[in-house]
Amino acid sequence: MAGIYIHIPFCRQACHYCDFHFSTNLSGIDSLVAAIAEEIALRKEFLLGQTVETIYFGGGTPSLLSEKQLGFLLAKIRDHFALDLKEVTLEANPDDLSEENLNNWKSLGIDRLSLGIQSFQEEVLRFYNRAHSAKEALDAISSGRKAGFEKFSIDLIYGFPHTDHSLWEKDLAEALRQDSGHISAYSLTVEPKTALGKWTEKGLFQPADEDFVAEQFEWLQEQTDKAGYIQYEISNFGKPGQFALHNTNYWKGTPYLGLGPSAHSFDGKNRGSNPSTNPGYIKSIGSGKIPFEAELSSVEDQVNDRILTGLRTVWGLSPSALDEDFGIALLESRSKEIEKLEKQGWLIWDGKILSLTKRGMLLADSIAAELFI
């Protein structure tokens, strides 16, 4: 099985925290869609005939595409890949959820909406420079349900600096009240080339300290658990049967093809990406050249990648699978580190699987690094 990710690098306006590749000049959408359609044909062999089970339109803001453009890309995928679709996801902003758009998306076979809500608080949305209002955020799930959608993901950001945790507590309470079935929550991160990064550099913005952010993460874990959500990956919480399939496959090491500028791909061993410029991407496609740059992975890279991704999930890391696939006896080579991390309350070994404790989720990357070969 495999997945396909399509990056649509356009937004109406730039969010102050975002460092993803996008453009606010919407005049190039038609050319970009045509180029992605050509890339679909050029890279039809990448997945080696594996059946595609998930398609994910991400960005940027793919909900800016017309029904015709989305349908065109889906038709191109059907022409060049074997499909047995279990899930087709569209990232959408709340301000794009018109009745017409929702009905069009449903008719195309899109069955999961990933909603970029980020906050339900007007003051926070304005600070982030989001295009939608608090009311549109509040109405998003009900509008989708009215159109017949049953699967949703809500994106939220925590760690907004404030005198207390009240804003985050209100956001999370509202998200749980909405009962979307799936929540993806990320801490507010200051990236250098963003507006937030520039304000921080000039002393105009002071990010929340690590303890403040950690407390909000722990509140997130506690409240989602009470509401019946499973933290199946550090940033992803879903009710049983409502995990996002495309994202789940990322963490389980399923191959996927990334299409569009800046999109990443993974063939099961090696990763790579497309250039992060729209003109460069379109020029390369126009000349019949695949713009993909592969990053060949050593055995050590592949093992460490497995350790990092496995520990981030509820399914954990199987040392026996590492031994079987790579000849790496992790329990022997990292026995001291594993014993220390267990004693510190960060890691659990149940005889078959290594997994992080809830506290360990706070330090996932550093814990994984201690086990790297």
Side-chain angles (χ1 to χ4, degrees), residues 18 28 76 125 165 175 179 229 275 313 328 345 357:
C18 182
K76 284 292 182 180
L125 292 173
H165 297 308
D179 193 26
Y229 286 72
T313 72
I328 300 296
T357 63

Side-chain angles (χ1 to χ4, degrees), residues 135-149:
K135 184 180 186 308
E136 287 169 325
L138 289 167
D139 292 343
I141 296 291
S142 60
S143 297
R145 286 194 174 117
K146 186 177 179 181
F149 284 91

Side-chain angles (χ1 to χ4, degrees), residues 318-335:
S318 169
S320 63
L322 281 182
D323 196 0
E324 182 179 337
D325 295 343
F326 301 102
I328 300 296
L330 190 73
L331 293 178
E332 296 176 12
S333 64
R334 291 293 179 269
S335 60

Side-chain angles (χ1 to χ4, degrees), residues 72 96 133 163 263 312 320 339 347-348:
F72 175 59
D96 289 326
S133 67
T163 54
R312 290 183 65 94
S320 63
E339 183 180 355
L347 194 66
I348 297 171

